[in-house]
Amino acid sequence: MDRLVSIGEAAKALGVSITTLRRWEASGKLVAEHTAGGHRRYDLAKLKPELFRSEAEACRRTVAYARVSSHDQKDDLERQKQVLELYCARQGWTFEVIA
């Protein structure tokens, strides 16, 4: 399901400026297709995959697992859990963190 959009639409979908998208492309963070006229087109399914997930994928639940090897590392465990929660939330996943 390829849905190519202009740089303006892609910037709006991501909540960033057009200049930021150009900078991301120059640094290799994003790949844009170019039309014959040289205009950038972005695949919205790659930029915002949560908009294109199937119903079966939407019902999926991600389980993130954090552990440390000793009780003395309890603070490290809390940091691990926070990092996992942030990552899963940014991916738009339904998740549970087990420690």
Side-chain angles (χ1 to χ4, degrees):
M1 176 188 298
D2 290 342
R3 172 149 185 246
L4 299 179
V5 295
S6 69
I7 190 168
E9 291 174 273
K12 188 174 184 178
L14 293 175
V16 297
S17 70
I18 292 172
T19 305
T20 299
L21 284 182
R22 288 186 180 126
R23 187 176 54 237
W24 286 351
E25 184 183 354
S27 69
K29 289 182 181 180
L30 284 180
V31 177
E33 295 183 26
H34 292 270
T35 65
H39 297 277
R40 290 174 175 87
R41 294 292 182 256
Y42 293 91
D43 186 352
L44 204 53
K46 290 179 183 175
L47 296 177
K48 299 283 281 186
E50 63 273 10
L51 296 177
F52 294 89
R53 288 197 178 124
S54 67
E55 190 173 313
E57 287 180 357
C59 296
R60 290 175 61 172
R61 183 181 196 126
T62 300
V63 177
Y65 178 65
R67 73 176 295 271
V68 292
S69 54
S70 72
H71 185 68
D72 295 337
Q73 296 172 314
K74 191 172 183 177
D75 292 338
D76 293 336
L77 180 63
E78 291 303 314
R79 280 192 296 275
Q80 277 185 34
K81 287 170 34 180
Q82 290 173 354
V83 167
L84 288 171
E85 287 175 0
L86 181 62
Y87 179 78
C88 291
R90 284 189 175 166
Q91 298 302 315
W93 297 339
T94 302
F95 65 94
E96 176 183 356
V97 176
I98 297 175

